Amino acid sequence: MEEACVRKSEMDKVGVSVKFGRNETIYSKGDEARYSYKVIEGAVRLSRIFADGRRQIVNFFLPDETFGIELSEEYTSTAEAVGDVLALRCPRLCIAQLTEGHPDIGQKRLAMLSKSLAAAEQHVAMLGHQSAKERVASFFLALEMQRRTEIERTLDLPLSRQDIADYLGLTIETTCRALSELKRQRIIEAPSRRRIVIRDLAGLQAIAEGGA
Amino acid sequence: MEEACVRKSEMDKVGVSVKFGRNETIYSKGDEARYSYKVIEGAVRLSRIFADGRRQIVNFFLPDETFGIELSEEYTSTAEAVGDVLALRCPRLCIAQLTEGHPDIGQKRLAMLSKSLAAAEQHVAMLGHQSAKERVASFFLALEMQRRTEIERTLDLPLSRQDIADYLGLTIETTCRALSELKRQRIIEAPSRRRIVIRDLAGLQAIAEGGA
DNA sequence: CGGCATGTTGAAACGTTTCAACGAGAGTGG
DNA sequence: CCACTCTCGTTGAAACGTTTCAACATGCCG
């Protein structure tokens, strides 16, 4: 634990802060994978765009999470700033060098990849068999698990409805309807565009698990 | 490259062969993650089962692929033998020990995780926005890419229709209809239950990318 | 050759998407 | 500070694709 902090700060040392504006592209699919990043502030979305213009968001990254660690030479997805983003950028090579001296940094990368994989498998499970309402419920539940807001049961999402829809594999309209349905059932409240209050956590869980 | 082989054989040394019969469970979600495995022969499916009884297959593993490397203490999915399976089983601890001595084995794990992650993201992209026919086409295309059969453009899948459906996030019937549609278009042939011949690779690609 | 699991097809029910219109909120300039 | 505008979010109705339920075909094994 203690040592991990030492290592972390070493990693932080080699990185430089970079800023990105709302919707700015951090890197594109196919670019040479020169850097990996750690979110300091804001949110980043990892997505793929298809021939038909539709977009699938593969993952979101919130403060303290790392993204852009690729094993291949090129980035396999596109990363964009959801809102304004502050991030730490580390050259790939530096990481490789650090890894040699301190094999435990390899453990960190492993842990990070492992976490991404678990998230991706969860995502697959969701897209594979859940209804629109269940997806929205699962999504909020997952956010609640790693809530960043101090206020109990309040989610401050920097995401637009379109972002949510693209993550859930739904249209914006369907997402909206599912949201409205949850509001009608008094399971959530939406006091403002980007704020969700969970009024009935158990109810939300029941829905996420196919209880309605 | 050459060194990789050395390492590989070292890894093989600490493992023991184990056999599993058709549909046998190799490990269940929640079990203590004691071992990781490498497929020698046959195919393994990694899946999650839901409260409603439905199943989502998250990944398949074919000969030479490794699975069961978890960072957490428990397996997060269930692994089952699709047909008869021969596999190499390595205790988790041994791997950890090996890793210490030879940091490059860590690289192997990293590579393996990275590959799984790429596959999972591809899977998410598919489930998120492709139609039934597009999914089936993409699936065959992916299999063609890593074909194990010697015969050109012939896929020998050990999977049942149910397995395919559960991977594609569709019902068995929809999968079947999509298959029949592809047959009707003379893009594929299905000479036997578990054999698919691709007659028009370009056509298949076109469909997978939303060309029809 | 029967019997049983697996695969295939059809028709109605269901949920999501599409297209279209409307509402609400945030930011700008008067 | 209000009004305007523009983007974003919400709702409705018809079209579409997938699922469901049911029947039937096929192939495999004893």
Side-chain angles (χ1 to χ4, degrees):
Chain A
M1 270 297 139
E2 198 190 331
E3 282 210 16
C5 290
V6 175
R7 263 176 261 121
K8 191 177 121 188
S9 66
E10 275 177 41
M11 208 168 161
D12 290 357
K13 251 186 269 171
V14 297
V16 297
S17 307
V18 279
K19 281 195 286 188
F20 299 96
R22 183 174 147 66
N23 290 328
E24 194 179 334
T25 299
I26 298 172
Y27 58 72
S28 297
K29 179 179 161 149
D31 287 357
E32 193 193 334
R34 255 192 293 244
Y35 305 105
S36 67
Y37 300 82
K38 185 159 122 187
V39 181
I40 307 288
E41 224 181 277
V44 171
R45 60 173 175 252
L46 203 69
S47 60
R48 295 188 185 195
I49 291 137
F50 300 99
D52 62 2
R54 284 182 69 166
R55 177 181 78 160
Q56 176 65 47
I57 294 180
V58 165
N59 208 351
F60 290 114
F61 297 99
L62 299 173
D64 240 27
E65 295 188 299
T66 308
F67 65 96
I69 295 188
E70 306 270 336
L71 211 81
S72 65
E73 295 300 315
E74 295 182 358
Y75 292 118
T76 54
S77 303
T78 296
E80 296 157 313
V82 174
D84 287 349
V85 163
L86 186 64
L88 209 63
R89 188 177 68 188
C90 300
R92 207 185 190 225
L93 277 174
C94 287
I95 293 187
Q97 282 166 12
L98 277 175
T99 310
E100 273 176 42
H102 312 264
D104 309 316
I105 290 184
Q107 289 296 328
K108 263 202 91 186
R109 290 179 67 191
L110 223 67
M112 183 255 142
L113 264 175
S114 192
K115 198 179 150 203
S116 280
L117 182 60
E121 289 189 354
Q122 191 60 42
H123 200 173
V124 163
M126 181 188 88
L127 296 179
H129 91 293
Q130 292 200 128
S131 71
K133 206 166 143 195
E134 289 168 357
R135 292 183 202 191
V136 172
S138 299
F139 182 62
F140 288 151
L141 224 44
L143 286 175
E144 166 67 14
M145 293 295 168
Q146 44 166 15
R147 179 168 24 83
R148 252 92 184 158
T149 320
E150 312 73 36
I151 313 148
E152 196 73 16
R153 281 170 189 186
T154 294
L155 303 173
D156 247 320
L157 26 142
L159 317 167
S160 70
R161 296 286 187 264
Q162 186 67 63
D163 287 324
I164 300 174
D166 286 350
Y167 180 77
L168 300 181
L170 299 170
T171 58
I172 208 175
E173 294 97 330
T174 305
T175 306
C176 225
R177 276 186 256 270
L179 256 160
S180 302
E181 179 68 19
L182 289 174
K183 277 190 262 176
R184 223 167 295 133
Q185 292 182 254
R186 313 211 160 267
I187 285 171
I188 62 166
E189 250 169 290
S192 94
R193 237 171 228 229
R194 320 237 139 156
R195 176 161 292 188
I196 297 289
V197 179
I198 301 176
R199 293 188 60 169
D200 177 0
L201 192 62
L204 202 63
Q205 274 166 330
I207 289 171
E209 282 154 23
Chain B
M1 271 294 138
E2 197 190 333
E3 282 209 16
C5 290
V6 175
R7 262 176 264 121
K8 191 177 125 187
S9 67
E10 273 177 44
M11 207 169 160
D12 290 357
K13 250 185 269 170
V14 297
V16 298
S17 314
V18 279
K19 282 196 286 191
F20 299 96
R22 183 175 147 64
N23 289 327
E24 194 178 333
T25 298
I26 298 173
Y27 58 73
S28 297
K29 178 176 163 150
D31 286 358
E32 192 193 335
R34 255 193 292 244
Y35 305 105
S36 67
Y37 299 82
K38 186 159 123 184
V39 180
I40 307 288
E41 224 180 276
V44 171
R45 59 173 178 253
L46 204 68
S47 59
R48 294 190 185 193
I49 291 138
F50 300 98
D52 63 0
R54 284 182 69 166
R55 179 181 75 162
Q56 176 65 47
I57 294 180
V58 165
N59 207 351
F60 291 114
F61 297 100
L62 299 174
D64 241 28
E65 296 188 299
T66 307
F67 65 97
I69 294 187
E70 307 269 336
L71 211 80
S72 65
E73 295 299 316
E74 293 183 358
Y75 292 118
T76 54
S77 303
T78 296
E80 296 158 312
V82 174
D84 287 350
V85 163
L86 187 64
L88 209 62
R89 188 178 71 189
C90 300
R92 208 183 187 225
L93 276 174
C94 286
I95 293 186
Q97 280 166 13
L98 278 174
T99 311
E100 273 176 42
H102 311 264
D104 309 317
I105 291 186
Q107 289 295 327
K108 262 203 93 186
R109 291 178 67 191
L110 224 66
M112 184 253 141
L113 266 174
S114 191
K115 198 180 151 202
S116 281
L117 181 60
E121 289 189 354
Q122 190 62 42
H123 201 173
V124 164
M126 180 187 89
L127 296 179
H129 92 293
Q130 293 201 124
S131 72
K133 206 168 145 194
E134 288 167 357
R135 291 183 202 192
V136 172
S138 298
F139 182 63
F140 288 150
L141 224 46
L143 286 175
E144 167 66 15
M145 293 295 168
Q146 46 165 16
R147 178 166 25 82
R148 252 92 184 158
T149 320
E150 313 72 37
I151 313 147
E152 196 73 18
R153 283 169 188 188
T154 294
L155 304 172
D156 247 320
L157 26 143
L159 317 167
S160 70
R161 296 286 187 264
Q162 185 67 63
D163 288 323
I164 299 174
D166 286 350
Y167 180 78
L168 299 181
L170 299 170
T171 57
I172 208 177
E173 295 96 329
T174 305
T175 306
C176 225
R177 277 186 255 270
L179 256 158
S180 301
E181 179 66 20
L182 289 174
K183 277 190 263 177
R184 223 167 295 133
Q185 292 182 255
R186 314 212 159 266
I187 285 171
I188 61 166
E189 251 169 288
S192 93
R193 238 174 226 227
R194 320 238 140 157
R195 175 162 291 188
I196 298 288
V197 180
I198 299 175
R199 292 188 60 169
D200 178 1
L201 192 63
L204 202 64
Q205 273 166 330
I207 288 171
E209 282 152 26

